[in-house]
Amino acid sequence: MCRSLQYMQGEHLRICPQEYTCCTSEMEDKLSQQSKLEFENLVEETSHFVRTTFVSRHKKFDEFFRELLENAEKSLNDMFVRTYGMLYMQNSEVFQDLFAELKRYYTGGNVNLEEMLNDFWARLLERMFQLINPQYHFTEDYLECVSKYTDQLKPFGDVPRKLKVQVTRAFIAARTFVQGLTVGREVANRVSKVSPTPGCIRALMKMLYCPYCRGLPTVKPCNNYCLNVMKGCLANQADLDTEWNLFIDAMLLVAERLEGPFNIESVMDPIDVKISEAIMNMQENSMQVSAKVFQGCGQPKPAPALRSSRSVPENFNTRFRPYNPEERPTTAAGTSLDRLVTDIKEKLKLSKKFWSTLPYTICKDERMTAGLSNEEDCWNGHTKARYLPEIMNDGLTNQINNPEVDVDITRPDTFIRQQIMALRVMTNKLKNAYNGNDVNFQDTSDETSGSGSGSGCTDDICPTEFDFVTTEAPPVDSDRREVEASATQPSRSLPTLLVIFIILVLQRQWR
C-alpha cells in the first residue's frame, strides 16, 4: 500500500502511531470507514449459522404443523363420509369449526383451548341427541339444556377428557416452541446487525489498517490483541449470553416434551378414530342419556308424524368401507415430529454461548489474525511484536480497563437490553409450556390437577415443575406462527358398532 507513496512524519494522524507513515489524514478517515464496514460484515457473516438455524427450523416446523393439521382434518372427513355418509356431511361444520379453531390457535389467535373443546363436544351432543331421538322436536332452549349435561352424563365416555388433556398440553407446547424459534430468529437477526461506537471504530482502524500505514501490509494483528478489540466492540452482545443460554435450555426442555408426553403427531394422527369412538359410545348409551336428559330438561314435544316414523338405524347409516393404506395422508412435511425435533435440538445446542464466544470465533479467522502460533511476529497496535496486555473478561462492566477500546460501561446499549427482555419473557413462556400451562389463559380449573388452557400433567407425566413469572410473550412478526400439539392415550372399543371400530384400529396398526 505504501510502496508507491512517500513516507512522512505522522503528527497529522489521529489513530495510528505518529511515526513515519504513508497515510494522510484523508486516508485514515477512509480506512476507518472501511474498518467499520468490514467489522459489520464479519459479525453478520460469523452469526450466519445461528441466524439460519432459527430461520430454517422455524420454517420446517411451521410447514410440518400445518400439514399435520390438514392431514388430520382430511383423514377425519374421509373416514366420516365413508362411515356416516350424508348424515356426516349435513353436520360436517361442527368438525370443520374444530379444526378451524385449532388452526386459529396455532396462528396466534386468542383461543382458549379448553373452552373451545368443551364447546365442540357440547355442539356434537346437541346434534347427536336430535339424531337418536328423531321422534321429538327440540327447541334451541331445550338443546342448550341438553348441552349442560355433557360433563354430568359423560355421553361420549372418557374420550373428551383424555383428548382435552392431550390436545391442550401438546398444542401449548408446540405453539410456544415455534414462537420460541421465532423469537430466537428475531433476536439473532437484530443483534448481528451491529452499530460500532466511535471508540470501537478507532480500535478497528488501528488494528486492521495501521500496519499498512507503517509499511507492514503482510503483518496481521496478534490474536490476543484482536480479542481485546472484539471484546470491547461486542461488550453489550456478550451481556446477552446469560439470557440467551437460559432461553436455549428452556427450548430444549420443551423439545423433550414434544418428543415424549406432549407429542402433537401422536394426538392428531388418530384423532378421527378417537372422535369416532366417542360417537359410538354415545350410540351405545343413547337410551340412558336420553332418559336422564328428559328427566332433567323435561319431556320434549313429539315431532310431526312424518319425522317421528323415522328410526334410529335410518339416521345412523353405518355403511363403512375400510381404507386402503395408500389412501392415508403421507407423513407431514416429509418427516416425523421426532426426527424434526431431534434435528432442531442438535442445532440449538450448538448455538449456546454464541454471543460470549463471538470474539473468539472472529479472531480465529485467519483473515483477521496471525494466529496463536505467531505471537511474536504480529501487529500489537504499535509495531511488529508480542502483545503484552491481559485479555479482558466478557461483558460490558469488564471493559472498564480495556486497553484498546474506549468503552463507557455506565451506558448499556438499550437495544441489546430490549433483546434480553424479549428472551426473558419467551423463556418464562417456555417454562409455562413445559408444565402444560398456557400463559394466556390462567384459571383455577381442577381438570387434571392443572390450570389454564390445558395443564396437561396427569399422574406422573409432569414430575418436574419450574418456578416462573407469568408474562405475555413479546410481539413477533405477523407472518410468524405459533404452535401447540399433543400426545395420545390408548382407546377402548365399545360394543355398539364394534366391527367398525376394530377395522379402524387394525388398519391404523398396519398402515
Side-chain angles (χ1 to χ4, degrees), residues 78-97:
D78 290 348
M79 185 177 83
F80 278 39
V81 166
R82 297 180 183 190
T83 305
Y84 302 111
M86 185 59 67
L87 189 64
Y88 163 71
M89 289 186 277
Q90 290 171 345
N91 297 277
S92 60
E93 75 275 5
V94 175
F95 304 91
Q96 291 168 358
D97 290 346

Side-chain angles (χ1 to χ4, degrees), residues 406-463:
D406 183 18
V407 181
D408 184 354
I409 67 168
T410 65
R411 298 183 63 184
D413 188 313
T414 55
F415 179 75
I416 296 295
R417 290 321 184 258
Q418 289 171 358
Q419 307 314 306
I420 290 174
M421 183 55 64
L423 289 171
R424 188 170 298 158
V425 170
M426 192 64 239
T427 299
N428 283 336
K429 192 171 185 186
L430 287 162
K431 290 176 180 179
N432 273 280
Y434 177 84
N435 293 325
N437 299 321
D438 193 341
V439 68
N440 297 318
F441 296 103
Q442 296 287 336
D443 61 27
T444 56
S445 169
D446 292 329
E447 177 70 38
T448 64
S449 71
S451 65
S453 182
S455 174
C457 302
T458 57
D459 301 325
D460 59 344
I461 294 298
C462 296

